[in-house]
Amino acid sequence: MKQPNRLQTWIEQGNVTISQLFFQFYKELKITDEEAMLLMHIQAFQQMGNQFPTPDEVGARMMTSQKSVTTMLQKLMQQGYLSIEQTTEQDVLTEVISLQPLWDRLLDCVYKEQHEIKENTQKELEGEIFQLFEQEFGRFLSPMEIETISMWMDQDGHTPDVIRMALKEAVISEKLSLRYVDRILFEWKKKNIKTSTQVTKHASSFREKNIRIQPTENAVKKVQFYNWLEDRN
């Protein structure tokens, strides 16, 4: 039986088979072991060309009765894992058992797992930002400072990478304060700078235009410095 396009695409990209996904997630879908075996038998029948195996045919392959197979099929359809669809082949109207609802539920499980992984990774990155500020400041952050940094991420939409780079700019400029970092982030947001790549390009461009020449005893030394608090460009 032809699989849904979005699932087939995901499988091709990830080198994962439907069987692997099914055995990984069927417990999460609250499908029993016996029901799982029934579903695999239905898929096997369909791969051999039988799109509507009867309870008797499936039961003959399992150590269960035809009545039990019928009960399980009804339950799986009520739970939305199977459906009966009509199809026309050579002008003949026939019915088939569709496993597409099951494949869609499996893909939902995949997306849910990926979302949870992404959320956990994001939380770890955000936690590292607080630790980085404490490391640079040489002390614990105050509740107000923690709230300010949280607002940069939650309300202003700055990523941990961008905040990390703003802190780096403050360190380079020897103006280590939340006010200075906040000003940097404000300027970047105003200029629609959202990624670390854009930050690097923007900062390099400004430094090239704002190199100050400071005399030394033996030579003239070029010092790269940009005061973000005075940025009006």
Side-chain angles (χ1 to χ4, degrees):
M1 184 175 182
K2 185 178 179 181
Q3 311 304 337
N5 290 336
R6 65 181 188 136
L7 180 58
Q8 191 65 41
T9 299
W10 191 91
I11 290 173
E12 290 172 355
Q13 292 175 346
N15 296 319
V16 177
T17 67
I18 288 177
S19 295
Q20 286 175 311
L21 291 179
F22 179 75
F23 287 116
Q24 181 180 352
F25 293 113
Y26 82 85
K27 182 180 178 181
E28 183 176 331
L29 295 175
K30 301 188 184 307
I31 295 174
T32 67
D33 291 345
E34 194 172 27
E35 291 167 349
M37 186 59 66
L38 169 62
L39 290 166
M40 290 296 97
H41 276 300
I42 292 175
Q43 184 187 28
F45 271 110
Q46 293 183 338
Q47 289 174 339
M48 295 175 63
N50 184 350
Q51 300 300 316
F52 203 121
T54 66
D56 283 334
E57 291 173 321
V58 177
R61 291 189 177 184
M62 299 178 62
M63 297 182 64
T64 186
S65 66
Q66 177 267 346
K67 182 178 179 181
S68 295
V69 171
T70 300
T71 300
M72 285 189 288
L73 286 171
Q74 291 173 343
K75 178 184 175 183
L76 290 168
M77 281 189 277
Q78 290 172 352
Q79 292 176 330
Y81 297 124
L82 296 175
S83 64
I84 305 298
E85 297 182 356
Q86 293 183 336
T87 182
T88 303
E89 293 184 7
Q90 298 179 348
D91 297 326
V92 178
L93 182 65
T94 59
E95 290 186 330
V96 300
I97 297 177
S98 175
L99 292 169
Q100 181 166 336
L102 175 61
W103 309 146
D104 287 338
R105 296 287 288 276
L106 287 177
L107 196 56
D108 289 340
C109 289
V110 172
Y111 287 155
K112 178 183 177 183
E113 182 181 73
Q114 291 178 338
H115 179 70
E116 289 176 351
I117 292 174
K118 184 177 180 181
E119 270 196 342
N120 290 335
T121 301
Q122 183 69 15
K123 288 179 180 178
E124 289 178 4
L125 291 174
E126 291 175 358
E128 291 174 0
I129 286 296
F130 294 107
Q131 294 175 7
L132 185 60
F133 271 88
E134 289 181 340
Q135 178 182 327
E136 293 294 344
F137 285 6
R139 59 174 175 78
F140 291 115
L141 296 172
S142 69
M144 184 67 71
E145 289 171 330
I146 292 175
E147 182 178 355
T148 297
I149 296 173
S150 297
M151 288 176 62
W152 290 341
M153 293 183 281
D154 299 336
Q155 295 186 16
D156 298 335
H158 295 297
T159 66
D161 278 344
V162 169
I163 295 174
R164 186 191 304 272
M165 297 184 78
L167 176 59
K168 181 180 178 180
E169 288 292 325
V171 172
I172 292 174
S173 302
E174 298 181 353
K175 294 182 178 293
L176 193 55
S177 70
L178 283 190
R179 177 173 175 266
Y180 195 77
V181 175
D182 184 69
R183 181 63 185 186
I184 294 173
L185 293 172
F186 175 79
E187 292 297 333
W188 287 351
K189 185 174 183 179
K190 187 170 66 174
K191 293 177 172 60
N192 201 33
I193 297 173
K194 300 178 180 179
T195 67
S196 56
T197 301
Q198 291 173 325
V199 167
T200 300
K201 182 178 179 181
H202 180 70
S204 297
S205 175
F206 268 123
R207 286 202 178 91
E208 289 176 2
K209 296 177 182 178
N210 293 275
I211 292 178
R212 292 184 177 182
I213 308 300
Q214 294 186 353
T216 63
E217 292 182 0
N218 300 318
V220 175
K221 181 181 178 182
K222 292 184 177 181
V223 179
Q224 292 185 337
F225 172 79
Y226 187 73
N227 189 343
W228 292 94
L229 291 178
E230 297 178 358
D231 179 23
R232 294 295 181 270
N233 293 320

